[in-house]
Amino acid sequence: MILLKKLLNIRGFNNATSSIVAIFAGLLFGFIILLISNPSQAVDGFIIILKGGFSTGGKGMGQVMYFATPLILTGLSVGFAFKTGLFNIGASGQFIMGAFAAVYIGVKWTFIPAPFHWMVALLAATIVGGLWALIPGLLKAYLNVHEVISTIMMNYIGMYLANFLVKSTVYDSKKALSMNVAESAVLPKGGLDKIFYNPIGSSGAVDLSTVNSGFYIALVVAVIMFIVLNKTTFGYELKACGFNQNASKYAGINEKRSIVLSMVIAGALAGLGGGLLYLSGASGRHIKAVDVLAAEGFNGIPVALLGLSNPIGIIFSAIFISYITLGGNYLQTLNFVPEIIDVIIACVIYFSAFALLFRNILPRLLKWRMDAAEIKNERGNE
Amino acid sequence: MDYVIEMLNITKEFPGIIANDNITLQLKKGEIHALLGENGAGKSTLMSVLFGLYQPEKGTIKKEGKEVKINDPNAANALGIGMVHQHFKLVHNFTVLQNIILGVETTHNGLLRMDDARTKVVSLSKRYGLSVDPDALIQDITVGMQQRVEILKMLYRDNEILIFDEPTAVLTPQEIDELMKIMKDLAAEGKSILFITHKLNEIKEVADRCTVLRKGKLVGTVDVADTSIEQMSEMMVGRKIDFAVEKADVEPGEPVLEVRGLTVGGKHTKKSVKDVSFTVRKGEIVCIAGIDGNGQSELVYALTGLQPIEKGQILINGKDITHLSIRKRNAEGMSHIPEDRHKHGLVLDYSLEENLVLKCYYTPIFQKNGFLKFQKINEYANCLIAKYDIRSGQGAKTIARSMSGGNQQKAIVAREIDLGPEILIAVQPTRGLDVGAIEYIHKQLLSQREEGKAVLLISLELDEVMDISDRILVIYEGEIVGELDPKTATLQELGLYMAGGKRDERSEAI
């Protein structure tokens, strides 16, 4: 009892518990939808979702990490902005603009020597993502235009602009996709190819996962963001502006500069995510250049919510959402319509994102119950 | 004895603090019962328990002898308990009438029947002498009027037990007098009133009995008629309070803050500060007195850099700071205890220690290469907490939002004074504080003066103005209309200047 009470007073424990409870609630809700849409195969389907990436062995887990990589970055983008008092709904636009910059350099700038080619492409993705968020940042700081409005509009501008640019520069019209980037622009495997593969037959041939060192980069960036937010004067200033702009101004912090910087950093993170996803060789993702906003950008919102905007929490929530999404894809082996699968997965993800709600209710509920029990005990003893 | 409400042995705990420890309060029918205590003594918690906002861990509530359970404000309402909160709960773009009936609308087949409501509101306001225009918008009427709307809301719901949470904190002296009269009328009509306050004069004036709380514990209930103000304040604070402020003789020295021809606003807006000039010297407290809204806030914002100026010049120790940033002004030795501690003074979601370094976190003591030195910050915070007696649930790690108003203010005062300022600008530093905290803050201001520092005090409290300051400048409609010596000036004279009825011909700044 005392141990439990002590645990309750640790913030991290509270946060993790509430996120896990939220995930269970989300899964339960998903199961109900499975039951409604296809009662006979609901249990089998649920097991497939739960097995997620594991369904297809080593390669599957690698794919989970590959698709988690951009989600970590867009989650960090949304979470970082949120910690500094801004709602960045524009991760989609920043993501796709960053992606285009990376792919363009990856395809065209082959004059860059091999070890630097992918680095330059990633750097460009980061910068372009940051610039894409600079506009809403400036609008917010100097003209008081709400960032939700401006980032949403920048999403569409970014999507159409990226489609136009891809189609006019790096488009492979036979495949209706962006071209493959040069070998030197593909992110190195970083040893992950030794772990995440499925053997084909007994000949020693392997079916490699697309995962690459981009996953390491995402982890490092998350740790860096954690340090920036919690250990530096810069993070202290940005958070202060997020909590109370007036008090920050009063304390002599340049609050307009802080708003712009927060937005630019958030955009840079999302842009980097775009670069990391698309610099992955022939087997990886390509820009489709269709009129759909990048889902990775919007999924950054539930990732950030589920991770309670904590950079370390975001790593885990991004992996979870990638895992569940892949599990959903495998549902097609049963008689589930693709649209229903999307609905189920969306339900699991968004229901889980109610973690914030649980975070507030759960500790209170537990404490209340224990206090009530204690009072009862005391009364019994009297 | 027939009590209309009894709260028996109430205990309410919050993490790290027992807000109410075994408190009993009994309210007679038709009496005005004051609830007295310092900030954080547990008054508001106790009233929130009665109003159903909190559930007590222990204790019972009885209405007219019968035990009742109050789970939420609706239950309280059903029992005839109404409350006027310190911060009014009104819809600003609704009319007075719409606000009063909100939640208990009279309807017929789903359509509003405003006429019935209007008749009742008009008759109630006549009966209790609460003159309000039922069709005025809340945003257009004065704070005193808004409070009357809150009172009418309770009367409209036929509440018998009326709780007033520090009702005078937001009112002008005239409005306070009116409120006192209204409260007496209400009591005479048989309503029972619970009156939360820490202003002793008000208790003496209207209350029949007074219950005193200290640090969550019950000190006692006394008859106001038989108890002196000194006795009540001693009960509240736990020691004798010295009401007379002792001022050492300090000879003013060199000028520190010089303001020349300062004008704020103009081109597109109304001029809120017009051609103001004055000087604050070392070792003196200069007070800017005036009725709220006569340009004091804008003057301070201009001095501290929160608002741009139209024209004029500001100097500290002879150095022109007119166009310096806020941080550079701070570095030149300007400290500022702001008017609104929640808006400007604190980052409420930061911990106490993070708030204590809000103006010095970037100095080499607290950071190295951009990384904060948490150890040093914690040590510094603990040092200030001890030195300035800042009380909170979890020490330096307490989130500022959860601290009581008085301790929040102490934290700001500690931070600003510990910066070692040349000029301390204190704006209503004692607003909403209890006598203990007021005494403390006055002592801090006076010790600044004795150390030879300059202090600019902006205050609406006339007692404070007369007791603390060395010179009084009266501001009226953005202009300095007079300079008074508190030793020779009378309150009447000061009031006359403040109301704009008299002005000096000051050709030049002193």
Side-chain angles (χ1 to χ4, degrees):
Chain A
M1 204 65 163
I2 294 164
L3 189 80
L4 192 60
K5 234 185 167 173
K6 263 190 190 159
L7 270 174
L8 276 179
N9 287 330
I10 303 169
R11 243 208 247 163
F13 175 80
N14 266 343
N15 292 347
T17 322
S18 51
S19 291
I20 289 164
V21 169
I23 286 171
F24 274 114
L27 288 173
L28 190 70
F29 193 71
F31 182 61
I32 293 168
I33 300 209
L34 280 172
L35 271 178
I36 295 166
S37 60
N38 188 348
S40 59
Q41 290 184 304
V43 177
D44 292 338
F46 193 59
I47 290 167
I48 288 182
I49 292 180
L50 283 188
K51 276 166 84 183
F54 284 124
S55 301
T56 46
K59 183 189 174 191
M61 267 329 283
Q63 291 310 98
V64 169
M65 286 158 69
Y66 173 62
F67 289 113
T69 304
L71 287 180
I72 294 175
L73 269 305
T74 52
L76 285 174
S77 170
V78 176
F80 179 81
F82 190 70
K83 281 257 175 182
T84 57
L86 297 165
F87 292 99
N88 179 20
I89 312 296
S92 275
Q94 297 143 12
F95 174 87
I96 202 68
M97 287 307 287
F100 166 73
V103 170
Y104 180 82
I105 290 181
V107 174
K108 300 274 179 180
W109 289 14
T110 42
F111 56 86
I112 303 173
F116 301 111
H117 193 177
W118 62 269
M119 292 182 202
V120 172
L122 277 188
L123 191 66
T126 313
I127 293 170
V128 170
L131 287 177
W132 208 245
L134 175 68
I135 300 164
L138 290 172
L139 285 174
K140 166 88 175 174
Y142 293 95
L143 297 170
N144 212 13
V145 177
H146 202 281
E147 73 278 9
V148 169
I149 309 290
S150 51
T151 52
I152 287 177
M153 299 206 294
M154 292 300 283
N155 274 343
Y156 286 96
I157 302 171
M159 175 189 81
Y160 288 116
L161 185 62
N163 287 351
F164 166 73
L165 289 172
V166 166
K167 281 187 176 161
S168 54
T169 54
V170 289
Y171 199 56
D172 182 345
S173 49
K174 268 174 265 162
K175 284 192 259 171
L177 292 170
S178 61
M179 293 177 204
N180 287 340
V181 295
E183 267 314 301
S184 55
V186 175
L187 295 172
K189 283 287 177 190
L192 291 170
D193 52 342
K194 305 282 186 297
I195 311 168
F196 299 107
Y197 64 86
N198 286 349
I200 303 173
S202 52
S203 59
V206 289
D207 182 11
L208 262 184
S209 160
T210 330
V211 68
N212 53 39
S213 56
F215 188 70
Y216 298 145
I217 295 174
L219 296 187
V220 170
V221 170
V223 172
I224 292 173
M225 291 327 290
F226 181 81
I227 292 169
V228 166
L229 272 175
N230 295 306
K231 305 285 176 200
T232 64
T233 52
F234 182 57
Y236 176 90
E237 287 179 354
L238 293 186
K239 277 192 295 178
C241 286
F243 285 134
N244 186 343
Q245 211 179 316
N246 288 311
S248 308
K249 187 178 176 189
Y250 156 87
I253 297 168
N254 187 340
E255 89 285 7
K256 292 194 185 334
R257 176 176 156 264
S258 293
I259 289 170
V260 175
L261 278 177
S262 290
M263 235 20 238
V264 167
I265 291 172
L269 289 166
L272 176 63
L276 292 178
L277 183 65
Y278 290 105
L279 291 179
S280 50
S283 66
R285 285 280 288 271
H286 294 72
I287 301 176
K288 281 188 188 135
V290 289
D291 295 349
V292 178
L293 290 175
E296 287 83 358
F298 281 118
N299 280 338
I301 298 168
V303 166
L305 279 174
L306 195 55
L308 300 168
S309 296
N310 178 316
I312 307 303
I314 283 170
I315 296 176
F316 291 103
S317 64
I319 292 175
F320 164 73
I321 285 177
S322 165
Y323 180 90
I324 274 299
T325 312
L326 272 178
N329 289 344
Y330 299 132
L331 261 189
Q332 291 178 26
T333 52
L334 303 177
N335 283 331
F336 283 95
V337 205
E339 286 79 11
I340 288 291
I341 296 172
D342 281 346
V343 169
I344 292 165
I345 295 308
C347 284
V348 175
I349 292 173
Y350 281 88
F351 210 88
S352 306
F354 283 124
L356 270 180
L357 198 72
F358 287 96
R359 185 173 94 130
N360 292 331
I361 294 172
L362 186 76
R364 215 183 294 166
L365 210 68
L366 275 173
K367 184 166 177 354
W368 184 59
R369 289 203 134 188
M370 278 193 296
D371 286 358
E374 259 171 39
I375 289 166
K376 258 187 202 159
N377 285 341
E378 273 172 35
R379 284 203 182 137
N381 294 340
E382 269 165 21
Chain B
M1 200 66 194
D2 51 336
Y3 291 109
V4 55
I5 278 283
E6 293 174 88
M7 300 182 79
L8 303 170
N9 310 102
I10 300 289
T11 296
K12 174 73 199 165
E13 284 179 51
F14 291 112
I17 200 156
I18 302 175
N20 288 153
D21 187 1
N22 194 18
I23 288 175
T24 296
L25 185 148
Q26 292 164 308
L27 180 67
K28 289 181 197 166
K29 190 165 172 54
E31 77 165 341
I32 301 181
H33 192 120
L35 185 57
L36 176 67
E38 289 188 279
N39 285 307
K43 299 168 300 210
S44 295
T45 308
L46 188 66
M47 286 305 103
S48 299
V49 167
L50 180 58
F51 197 55
L53 294 168
Y54 295 137
Q55 302 308 313
E57 267 87 41
K58 282 179 214 167
T60 49
I61 300 173
K62 286 184 180 174
K63 191 193 178 207
E64 286 157 357
K66 283 196 289 286
E67 190 170 331
V68 289
K69 190 118 183 68
I70 305 175
N71 287 323
D72 54 60
N74 287 335
N77 216 339
L79 291 168
I81 301 170
M83 184 161 177
V84 177
H85 296 268
Q86 198 175 348
H87 302 282
F88 306 144
K89 316 270 184 207
L90 296 171
V91 184
H92 277 235
N93 50 0
F94 269 22
T95 65
V96 168
L97 185 61
Q98 286 169 332
N99 266 287
I100 291 172
I101 65 163
L102 193 61
V104 289
E105 299 89 354
T106 43
T107 54
H108 182 71
N109 297 334
L111 295 172
L112 275 176
R113 301 268 296 200
M114 296 300 267
D115 292 344
D116 304 357
R118 181 186 302 273
T119 321
K120 190 173 173 188
V121 168
V122 170
S123 78
L124 279 174
S125 60
K126 274 215 186 97
R127 185 168 156 206
Y128 294 100
L130 296 158
S131 55
V132 286
D133 172 8
D135 297 311
L137 289 178
I138 294 297
Q139 62 202 20
D140 297 336
I141 63 177
T142 64
V143 175
M145 286 272 213
Q146 293 180 5
Q147 190 167 53
R148 277 183 234 156
V149 176
E150 285 280 9
I151 297 171
L152 273 173
K153 262 166 80 176
M154 298 194 294
L155 298 173
Y156 187 83
R157 286 158 178 74
D158 300 318
N159 289 328
E160 289 300 318
I161 299 125
L162 314 181
I163 307 170
F164 287 83
D165 188 356
E166 304 201 12
T168 58
V170 290
L171 302 182
T172 64
Q174 290 77 12
E175 286 174 328
I176 292 176
D177 289 343
E178 280 172 40
L179 175 69
M180 296 289 146
K181 190 176 166 295
I182 292 169
M183 285 171 71
K184 282 179 194 163
D185 290 348
L186 288 169
E189 290 274 344
K191 307 278 183 192
S192 314
I193 295 178
L194 268 167
F195 175 35
I196 307 178
T197 187
H198 47 243
K199 292 189 181 161
L200 298 153
N201 309 344
E202 292 167 3
I203 295 179
K204 202 70 189 162
E205 195 182 328
V206 293
D208 301 305
R209 294 193 305 149
C210 173
T211 294
V212 186
L213 303 185
R214 186 167 71 227
K215 292 181 186 168
K217 289 197 167 65
L218 178 69
V219 183
T221 301
V222 293
D223 279 319
V224 173
D226 310 335
T227 318
S228 71
I229 287 185
E230 284 74 19
Q231 284 168 317
M232 282 193 283
S233 76
E234 204 179 321
M235 284 175 81
M236 167 166 81
V237 187
R239 63 189 160 84
K240 275 201 172 21
I241 288 281
D242 196 359
F243 282 98
V245 180
E246 278 183 33
K247 273 170 74 179
D249 278 333
V250 179
E251 193 58 39
E254 297 289 300
V256 178
L257 177 73
E258 290 171 80
V259 179
R260 293 179 192 157
L262 187 70
T263 300
V264 181
K267 268 187 194 137
H268 305 294
T269 51
K270 200 171 125 258
K271 276 186 191 160
S272 42
V273 178
K274 297 170 202 159
D275 195 24
V276 164
S277 303
F278 62 91
T279 304
V280 187
R281 290 168 294 178
K282 281 189 176 150
E284 76 171 347
I285 298 178
V286 173
C287 180
I288 299 204
I291 297 167
D292 199 7
N294 272 289
Q296 296 99 320
S297 306
E298 291 81 2
L299 173 63
V300 170
Y301 290 161
L303 292 178
T304 53
L306 286 164
Q307 192 175 331
I309 67 165
E310 183 64 25
K311 58 174 190 263
Q313 211 181 11
I314 307 162
L315 296 99
I316 289 182
N317 287 334
K319 186 177 172 184
D320 190 343
I321 61 151
T322 318
H323 301 292
L324 291 187
S325 70
I326 295 170
R327 177 153 295 169
K328 286 193 179 131
R329 284 174 206 231
N330 292 342
E332 290 296 329
M334 181 184 276
S335 270
H336 175 198
I337 299 171
E339 179 180 3
D340 187 333
R341 54 178 168 260
H342 289 174
K343 187 177 172 193
H344 287 118
L346 295 167
V347 178
L348 287 174
D349 295 297
Y350 266 177
S351 65
L352 175 56
E353 60 180 7
E354 285 169 317
N355 271 295
L356 287 172
V357 296
L358 195 61
K359 279 196 174 170
C360 54
Y361 66 91
Y362 59 89
T363 55
I365 313 168
F366 299 115
Q367 62 100 13
K368 194 180 173 190
N369 303 327
F371 283 85
L372 290 166
K373 294 183 194 165
F374 289 98
Q375 180 84 27
K376 282 273 186 297
I377 290 173
N378 189 258
E379 281 167 18
Y380 176 70
N382 283 326
C383 164
L384 286 191
I385 288 168
K387 197 166 150 196
Y388 293 88
D389 187 31
I390 306 165
R391 290 181 213 155
S392 58
Q394 288 129 327
K397 304 284 179 199
T398 315
I399 298 299
R401 189 181 291 286
S402 68
M403 291 165 58
S404 70
N407 282 303
Q408 289 177 344
Q409 186 72 1
K410 275 186 180 177
I412 295 171
V413 170
R415 180 182 72 209
E416 297 304 315
I417 289 182
D418 217 72
L419 288 171
E422 297 288 322
I423 168 90
L424 175 65
I425 300 176
V427 189
Q428 300 191 49
T430 58
R431 179 159 80 168
L433 301 188
D434 57 75
V435 283
I438 290 174
E439 183 197 28
Y440 172 85
I441 285 170
H442 284 170
K443 274 191 182 148
Q444 293 297 332
L445 295 180
L446 288 168
S447 76
Q448 285 290 300
R449 171 180 176 268
E450 272 152 45
E451 284 172 31
K453 302 288 173 61
V455 178
L456 179 67
L457 174 71
I458 287 89
S459 179
L460 305 175
E461 304 265 346
L462 293 187
D463 293 339
E464 180 170 277
V465 171
M466 295 299 261
D467 289 350
I468 300 288
S469 54
D470 294 305
R471 285 193 292 143
I472 302 170
L473 301 172
V474 185
I475 191 166
Y476 175 72
E477 293 194 337
E479 289 178 85
I480 303 281
V481 293
E483 176 171 346
L484 300 169
D485 181 351
K487 288 198 202 80
T488 56
T490 62
L491 269 178
Q492 284 70 21
E493 202 183 344
L494 184 58
L496 207 55
Y497 275 103
M498 283 166 63
K502 197 178 172 190
R503 64 192 300 156
D504 288 351
E505 289 310 318
R506 291 167 91 243
S507 53
E508 210 200 356
I510 298 102

